[in-house]
Amino acid sequence: MIWGRVGVGAAAGRRLLPDHLFCNQCNLKRTNYDLKSKYYCTSYSSTLPQQAQVVISGAGVVGNSIAYHLTREGWTDVVVLDLNKVGSGTSHNGSGVLGLFKPSSERQIVTYSVNLIKTLQVEGHHLGFKQCGSLNLARTRDRAIALKRRIAYTKPSGLQCEWLDRHEVKRRHPHLYTGDLEGGVWVPGDAVADPYAVCSTLASLANKQGAVYIDGCQVERIVTDEVPHSQVVPRVTHVITSHGTIHCEYFVNASGMWAHLLGEKSSPKVRVPAFPAEHFYLHTSPVGEAVDDLPVVRDYDAHTFILTRNHQFIVGGFERSAKPAFPNGIPLNWRQFLVGDDDHFRPIREAAEHRLPILKRTNYQPLVNAPDNFTPDGKWILGETPEIDNYFVAVGMNGNSLQGAGGAGQAIAEWIMYGSLAKEMLHFDVRRFIDLHNNRRYLKERTQEVVGRHYEILYPGQCEYRLARELRCSPLYSEQEARGAVFGTRMGFERPIYFDTSHKRTDPPAQMPKGTFHKPIFLESVREEYQACREGVGVIDLSSFTKIEVTSVGLDKYKQFDAEETKSGGNQVVEFLQKLCSNDVNLPVAGVVHSGMQNERGGYENDCLLIRRNENSYLMLAPTTQQTRIMDWMRRQITPEACVSVSDVTSMYSVVSVVGPKSREMLSHLCNTDLIFYGHMAKEINIAYASGVLVLSFTHMGEPGYTMIIPAEYTLHIYNQLMKVGHDYGVRNVGMMTMRALRVEKFIPFWAEELDSTTTPYEVGRGYKVKLNKEYFIGKFALMRQNSQGVKKRLVHLTLDDSFDVDTDIWPWGGEPIYRNNRYVGNTTSSAFGFTLNKMVCLGFVRHAEGEYVTPQYILRDANFEIDIAGRRVPAHASLQPPKMPVVRMDGVASYRPRSRGIITQK
C-alpha cells in the first residue's frame, strides 16, 4: 500500500512550498496545504494473476484513465502493469493545461477530459483543477483570421469564446504587453490541473473498482495465436512479463515513450509511430497568490505559452525546431540523461518576457526537461491495431498527456467493451499509418518539425511538411518535378498539388508560395489545368491510390470434385465482396463498379472501385489514406474456412488518368484497340511499347476520359509518349488541387471529407448505389431502416452568391458553419472555386434545426442559407443535385484537328 495527500503540489523540478507529505509511490514530496484534500492510495499486488480480461501496459494518466473507465462500467478483471510505479513516466511532468479551443474532433475528447476532472474534484478529489480561462493571442492579421475562423466553427458547439481587441486583452491580464497585438480570443472554459494528481487519483479509483496494479513489471512479449501464411488476423492470447505469464482477452499499449519499443515485442510486430521530443518548462520562484487567478496565455506567433500554478509562472512552448529525445533508445535510468538546454529554450523565454515583462523581475528555477511522445502528424494514436486483434494502442499525447487522457481513456474503454465507436475517430485511428511511419529515422526527423506545427498557422492545403520527404514517389516524380510540380504528401506519397506554369526545366524545384486564407497565388495555374480537363486533355497521376487484389486461394483442393463444386468454391470471392459491398459487385469479367463498404450502422468503411479481372479475382482501387485501414477491415471479415486472399499491390502499379473530351483521340495514337467502352468496363491493352495496361472507362473527376492501371516499370514510358503525342492536343499535367475543383463543383463526395464511418450513402446522395434487393451485406438492415424512415443529415451543394468577392474576401476552406434562416444547421466539409460556375462552391452536411428528418423541402423551400467565414455570414444557394454544366463528350471531337506545334502549352 502506498499513500499520500495531494494538494496543488509540485512536480519534479519545481520549488516546493513548506509542509510536505512524502509519497512512496513516486518518491517525490507533495505539497500539503489544503487540508480538505482527499487521500489517494493505490494497492499493488505482489503476485501477477494468471489471467485477466484486460491487461494494460503503462500506469500513466492514459493507462489509468482506461482502467478507470473499464472498471467503472463493470469490467473489473483488469490488470495494469508498469515498469516502475503509477505516474513514474512522463505523466506528472506536463503543463496541465486543458484547452478547449480546438478543432471539433479534438475538442470532443478534451471536453470530456475537462468534465471528468471537474467532476472528480467536486466529489472531493483535489486535482488542482482551476477553470481560469485562456487568452489566445494574434500578432498578425493572418493569425487573427485563423483564430476568427476557429471562433466561427467553435461557437455553434456551445463553447464560449469571443474576440477581444488589444485593450480588452489587457484588461483580462494586466501584466501582458499588448502593444503589438491584433487582438486575441478569450475562452473562459479553459482550465489547468495537476497532472500527477489526476494520474494518481484515476489509478486509485480504478484500483478501488477492481483493477489490479503490478509495479516493477516489465512486459517481455505479447503472444498471439498467429498461424503462418493465414489471412486471418491473429489475436492476443497472453503476455509474458518479468513476473511471469498472464493470459488475457485484450491488451492495451499505453506505454508512452516506450510504446514504440513495446510494439516490436509481438509477432506480428505492431506499428506505433511515436517518438519522444525534449519538452521544456521554466518555473519561476513564487510571486504571490494573486497570479493564480490569471488566465493561460498562448502566444502562438512566438510558439510560447504561460500559465500559473502554485503561485508560480510556468513558461513552455512548442519550438519551431525541436530536439528528439533518446535518439539511440530510452535507457533504464533515463531521468539521469535529462538536462535543461537553456540556449535552445532561450527564444521561448525571451518571447515570454516580451509578452509578460514581469518575468524579467523574477527568479527562475532550473529549466525542466520533460520529454513527451509526438506522432508524425501531431495527432493522438488510438484504437485497435491492424496487425493483432484485441491489441489496442493509446499513445502519442504530443506534449500534453493530461489534455486527452480522459476522453481517450473513455474512447478506448468503449471500443473494447462494444467493439466499435459511435463517433468518428478517423483523425486519431492507428490505422492511418503504414510501415514507413514506424521507421525510427523517419520519426526522429519528422519530430523536429511536428512539435512546432502545433502553434503554426496551417493554411488549408498549403502547408506541407518540410522534413522526412521524398520517401514514396511515383515513377513520374522526377519528370513532374522538372515540369514544375509543387508536391504534397499523403501516406508519405509525393503527389503534385499543382504545376507552376512559370517554371522552366532548368529552374530549381518549384515551391509552394506563402500560404493565405484568401485567393491562393496559384489559382491561375489551377484554372489552366481545369480548362484542359474540360476542353482538351489533362494527365493526372493517381499512383498513390490504394490497390488491393482480392483472389481465391487453395482452389487446388477442389480438383477432386466435379465442375459444379469447383465453381462453387471459386465463387467465394464474389460472395465475400457481396457481403462487404452495398452495391452489386457480381459483374461480368472486365466489369467495373463503384461501391461503398459499410459498417453495421450503414456508415462508410471504404469508398472503392472494383474491377473484375476473372471469375475468382478482383482488383480494388481505394483512397490513398485507406491503405492500412481497409486492408485491416477486409482481413477481419475473412473467416478461417474462407478461400479468400487480400493482397496490397499498391507499389506494383501506377494509376494515371487521361481526362477530357480529347482524351480518346489522343490515346488512340498509342494503341490499336477500340477505345469505345459500353458502360463501365476495363480492357487490358498495349499502350505504345508497354503491355498489360488495364484501361478503365472511368475517371474520379466526373469528366470523360480513362483511368490506366499500369505496371510500375512502364509508367514513365507511357507518360513520355502521352506528353509527346498530346503536345498537339494541348495536353497539360494536372494536380490534386484541380481534381478537387472538378469534383467539388460537380458535387462528388470524397473519402475523409464527406465520407466516413458515420456517414451513409443516403446522406450523401448515393442511395442509388445501394442494392437492397440483393442478399445480406454488412449494414443492409441499417440502410433499409434509413431508406424507409429518412435521414437526419444531408450533404448539400452550396454556391456563394455574388456578394462574395473571390479576389478580396477570405475564402471558405472547409469546416465553416452553415446557417439556415439564422439557425445553425451544420458545417461545410470541402470547398473550391468552380471555374465553370464562376462561383465559390462548398459541400456540407445540413441537419434539421429541430432534430427532425431532413427532407428535400427543408433544403429547398423557404430556406435562406448562409456560411460563416471567419465571422462574416455570406448568403449561399443550396441544391441537392449537381449543377447544370455544359457537357463535352469524347464522341463530339472526332473531327478535331491538332493545332500548330508552334504553340507550347506546357514547359
Side-chain angles (χ1 to χ4, degrees):
M1 181 79 69
I2 56 100
W3 64 273
R5 196 180 214 170
V6 181
V8 296
R14 301 186 199 172
R15 180 170 295 176
L16 300 171
L17 295 177
D19 196 11
H20 305 95
L21 290 179
F22 189 79
C23 174
N24 293 323
Q25 175 173 314
C26 60
N27 295 323
L28 293 176
K29 292 181 179 179
R30 305 297 296 170
T31 313
N32 171 31
Y33 63 83
D34 186 341
L35 298 180
K36 295 181 181 178
S37 302
K38 271 195 174 184
Y39 286 98
Y40 65 86
C41 60
T42 303
S43 177
Y44 288 112
S45 173
S46 59
T47 304
L48 181 73
Q50 291 186 345
Q51 62 182 29
Q53 195 168 13
V54 183
V55 171
I56 300 171
S57 176
V61 67
V62 177
N64 294 335
S65 176
I66 297 168
Y68 165 78
H69 285 92
L70 284 170
T71 54
R72 190 184 67 177
E73 297 301 317
W75 281 49
T76 57
D77 191 9
V78 176
V79 173
V80 183
L81 312 176
D82 198 278
L83 183 60
N84 205 314
K85 297 178 182 294
V86 169
S88 59
T90 60
S91 290
H92 69 282
N93 282 333
S95 66
V97 174
L98 298 163
L100 297 165
F101 192 54
K102 296 182 178 297
S104 60
S105 55
E106 294 178 50
R107 188 170 61 252
Q108 293 174 16
I109 298 285
V110 179
T111 298
Y112 182 90
S113 297
V114 171
N115 292 336
L116 173 65
I117 296 170
K118 187 176 183 178
T119 300
L120 291 177
Q121 179 146 303
V122 169
E123 291 175 354
H125 303 277
H126 198 309
L127 306 178
F129 179 81
K130 178 179 60 175
Q131 212 145 14
C132 56
S134 72
L135 289 167
N136 303 270
L137 308 181
R139 293 192 186 191
T140 65
R141 290 187 178 181
D142 274 10
R143 179 69 69 180
I145 292 171
L147 294 178
K148 288 177 180 179
R149 290 183 75 244
R150 189 172 292 186
I151 290 174
Y153 65 68
T154 298
K155 272 192 170 181
S157 70
L159 179 68
Q160 292 184 0
C161 54
E162 61 176 316
W163 176 258
L164 307 179
D165 63 28
R166 68 182 67 174
H167 305 294
E168 293 167 319
V169 169
K170 183 77 172 181
R171 283 193 287 272
R172 291 283 183 183
H173 197 311
H175 296 292
L176 287 183
Y177 170 68
T178 60
D180 59 351
L181 295 180
E182 291 283 329
V185 181
W186 166 243
V187 184
D190 277 6
V192 295
D194 184 336
Y196 185 80
V198 175
C199 178
S200 302
T201 299
L202 289 173
S204 170
L205 293 173
N207 186 212
K208 291 176 181 177
Q209 290 165 180
V212 174
Y213 278 76
I214 310 290
D215 64 330
C217 183
Q218 182 172 8
V219 175
E220 297 177 350
R221 189 151 193 82
I222 299 94
V223 183
T224 70
D225 60 0
E226 180 183 29
V227 177
H229 312 298
S230 173
Q231 287 283 307
V232 179
V233 180
R235 176 169 294 189
V236 171
T237 58
H238 58 279
V239 180
I240 301 173
T241 78
S242 57
H243 284 33
T245 298
I246 178 170
H247 292 262
C248 61
E249 293 181 49
Y250 301 90
F251 178 79
V252 182
N253 183 345
S255 299
M257 293 194 302
W258 296 267
H260 183 277
L261 178 62
L262 184 58
E264 297 179 350
K265 295 183 177 182
S266 61
S267 180
K269 294 180 179 180
V270 168
R271 289 187 294 260
V272 187
F275 200 94
E278 297 186 9
H279 205 47
F280 300 96
Y281 298 96
L282 189 60
H283 302 77
T284 69
S285 299
V287 293
E289 294 185 17
V291 301
D292 282 351
D293 294 327
L294 293 174
V296 175
V297 176
R298 297 185 186 91
D299 192 348
Y300 292 109
D301 297 300
H303 287 250
T304 302
F305 63 83
I306 308 166
L307 66 143
T308 59
R309 188 191 299 126
N310 200 23
H311 315 333
Q312 300 169 294
F313 286 108
I314 303 172
V315 177
F318 292 88
E319 58 269 46
R320 287 183 174 88
S321 181
K323 297 179 64 178
F326 313 117
N328 299 317
I330 305 171
L332 286 175
N333 55 343
W334 59 277
R335 290 185 183 277
Q336 297 178 17
F337 291 82
L338 299 177
V339 294
D341 188 336
D342 292 311
D343 289 337
H344 181 79
F345 193 74
R346 182 175 291 112
I348 290 177
R349 176 178 61 80
E350 291 176 348
E353 290 174 348
H354 168 78
R355 185 61 55 212
L356 201 66
I358 191 176
L359 292 176
K360 298 177 182 178
R361 304 191 297 272
T362 62
N363 295 320
Y364 293 114
Q365 296 180 3
L367 186 65
V368 175
N369 186 347
D372 199 14
N373 247 6
F374 287 82
T375 63
D377 58 4
K379 294 180 171 60
W380 305 312
I381 299 177
L382 305 173
E384 188 173 18
T385 65
E387 298 89 354
I388 300 176
D389 197 17
N390 289 357
Y391 185 129
F392 287 79
V393 172
V395 298
M397 296 294 109
N398 296 288
N400 191 344
S401 56
L402 180 65
Q403 191 163 246
Q410 187 268 343
I412 294 295
E414 181 182 328
W415 218 322
I416 290 172
M417 291 186 293
Y418 304 113
S420 64
L421 289 176
K423 53 180 175 288
E424 179 56 66
M425 298 288 282
L426 197 61
H427 295 294
F428 314 121
D429 195 333
V430 65
R431 297 173 296 175
R432 70 186 187 271
F433 300 113
I434 57 176
D435 284 340
L436 78 83
H437 295 113
N438 206 45
N439 182 292
R440 280 185 58 82
R441 292 186 65 180
Y442 167 88
L443 288 169
K444 178 184 174 182
E445 186 171 350
R446 177 56 64 83
T447 299
Q448 298 174 54
E449 181 180 4
V450 77
V451 174
R453 282 174 68 96
H454 282 75
Y455 275 16
E456 292 284 359
I457 299 175
L458 300 179
Y459 298 99
Q462 304 161 73
C463 285
E464 296 290 334
Y465 286 97
R466 296 177 292 102
L467 303 179
R469 292 287 299 270
E470 299 182 23
L471 301 173
R472 301 178 72 200
C473 297
S474 162
L476 306 181
Y477 176 81
S478 296
E479 186 62 25
Q480 290 168 335
E481 184 180 60
R483 292 175 179 266
V486 176
F487 290 97
T489 61
R490 289 294 181 275
M491 294 293 275
F493 208 109
E494 299 288 338
R495 311 192 306 179
I497 298 175
Y498 73 96
F499 287 80
D500 184 351
T501 55
S502 66
H503 185 271
K504 297 180 177 62
R505 185 174 284 272
T506 55
D507 291 343
Q511 300 296 321
M512 176 70 72
K514 185 181 184 300
T516 180
F517 290 111
H518 295 78
K519 182 178 78 172
I521 296 172
F522 51 79
L523 184 64
E524 289 309 309
S525 295
V526 176
R527 184 191 301 273
E528 293 181 25
E529 295 174 17
Y530 175 97
Q531 288 172 341
C533 295
R534 290 282 294 159
E535 301 170 7
V537 58
V539 175
I540 181 167
D541 184 2
L542 301 174
S543 298
S544 66
F545 276 11
T546 298
K547 308 163 198 82
I548 294 175
E549 282 185 347
V550 187
T551 59
S552 57
V553 293
L555 287 180
D556 55 329
K557 70 181 181 181
Y558 293 112
K559 290 179 180 178
Q560 58 184 304
F561 304 128
D562 59 29
E564 188 61 33
E565 289 174 313
T566 303
K567 182 178 178 181
S568 174
N571 280 342
Q572 286 208 25
V573 173
V574 177
E575 294 169 2
F576 173 72
L577 288 174
Q578 287 285 58
K579 172 188 166 186
L580 266 60
C581 296
S582 51
N583 205 341
D584 185 0
V585 300
N586 190 8
L587 316 166
V589 172
V592 178
V593 65
H594 185 202
S595 179
M597 292 182 176
Q598 322 307 136
N599 53 39
E600 292 291 0
R601 301 184 302 276
Y604 279 90
E605 290 296 328
N606 194 29
D607 177 47
C608 63
L609 198 68
L610 284 162
I611 307 113
R612 191 165 190 177
R613 303 290 284 130
N614 54 51
E615 289 293 333
N616 307 312
S617 176
Y618 286 75
L619 178 64
M620 182 178 79
L621 295 185
T624 302
T625 55
Q626 283 282 80
Q627 188 169 353
T628 297
R629 191 175 184 276
I630 195 54
M631 273 292 291
D632 174 59
W633 170 259
M634 295 176 73
R635 287 182 65 200
R636 290 179 186 276
Q637 311 309 316
I638 299 175
T639 58
E641 64 275 7
C643 297
V644 176
S645 171
V646 292
S647 304
D648 185 348
V649 295
T650 298
S651 297
M652 292 175 60
Y653 300 98
S654 300
V655 177
V656 176
S657 278
V658 181
V659 182
K662 300 172 186 175
S663 55
R664 180 187 298 161
E665 187 172 357
M666 188 191 79
L667 201 57
S668 66
H669 287 285
L670 299 176
C671 68
N672 297 320
T673 305
D674 183 2
L675 293 176
I676 296 177
F677 290 68
Y678 299 97
H680 289 316
M681 61 179 296
K683 293 182 180 181
E684 187 172 306
I685 64 177
N686 297 335
I687 301 285
Y689 300 148
S691 59
V693 179
L694 192 63
V695 179
L696 318 181
S697 57
F698 180 93
T699 70
H700 291 79
M701 291 76 80
E703 296 292 336
Y706 303 93
T707 294
M708 298 182 292
I709 303 173
I710 308 168
E713 64 269 25
Y714 295 140
T715 310
L716 183 58
H717 167 70
I718 290 177
Y719 173 80
N720 286 334
Q721 294 300 309
L722 287 172
M723 300 310 289
K724 182 178 179 180
V725 172
H727 183 279
D728 291 334
Y729 293 87
V731 69
R732 292 192 64 90
N733 285 295
V734 174
M736 304 307 294
M737 197 67 76
T738 300
M739 182 176 176
R740 181 183 185 88
L742 287 163
R743 70 95 178 169
V744 169
E745 191 174 35
K746 292 183 182 65
F747 201 10
I748 300 174
F750 261 36
W751 177 257
E753 296 192 47
E754 289 77 34
L755 308 179
D756 61 33
S757 65
T758 65
T759 303
T760 73
Y762 292 111
E763 294 166 347
V764 297
R766 286 188 173 177
Y768 65 95
K769 294 188 177 183
V770 176
K771 299 300 185 281
L772 294 175
N773 58 348
K774 73 172 191 175
E775 293 185 8
Y776 171 78
F777 61 87
I778 298 173
K780 178 177 181 178
F781 302 129
L783 292 178
M784 289 177 65
R785 184 166 55 251
Q786 192 175 68
N787 184 44
S788 63
Q789 295 178 352
V791 297
K792 289 294 185 78
K793 65 178 180 181
R794 185 68 166 84
L795 188 66
V796 175
H797 185 280
L798 298 150
T799 53
L800 303 191
D801 78 355
D802 293 336
S803 66
F804 179 82
D805 190 325
V806 68
D807 294 314
T808 60
D809 289 340
I810 300 171
W811 279 28
W813 291 95
E816 290 80 12
I818 302 170
Y819 290 86
R820 179 188 181 275
N821 296 345
N822 210 34
R823 299 187 68 180
Y824 169 73
V825 291
N827 291 83
T828 64
T829 52
S830 54
S831 64
F833 184 73
F835 293 101
T836 298
L837 299 177
N838 199 32
K839 292 180 182 293
M840 182 61 68
V841 182
C842 299
L843 306 185
F845 283 103
V846 169
R847 298 177 181 272
H848 199 290
E850 304 297 338
E852 300 175 9
Y853 291 104
V854 177
T855 63
Q857 292 76 17
Y858 183 77
I859 303 294
L860 304 175
R861 293 183 185 175
D862 301 321
N864 296 313
F865 284 94
E866 296 174 305
I867 297 177
D868 188 335
I869 306 173
R872 177 200 168 199
R873 294 193 187 179
V874 180
H877 170 74
S879 173
L880 293 175
Q881 300 295 329
K884 294 181 179 179
M885 297 168 57
V887 177
V888 181
R889 305 178 65 86
M890 286 192 291
D891 55 12
V893 295
S895 61
Y896 171 76
R897 293 183 179 180
R899 58 185 181 178
S900 171
R901 287 182 178 271
I903 301 176
I904 299 176
T905 61
Q906 178 73 35
K907 297 174 182 172

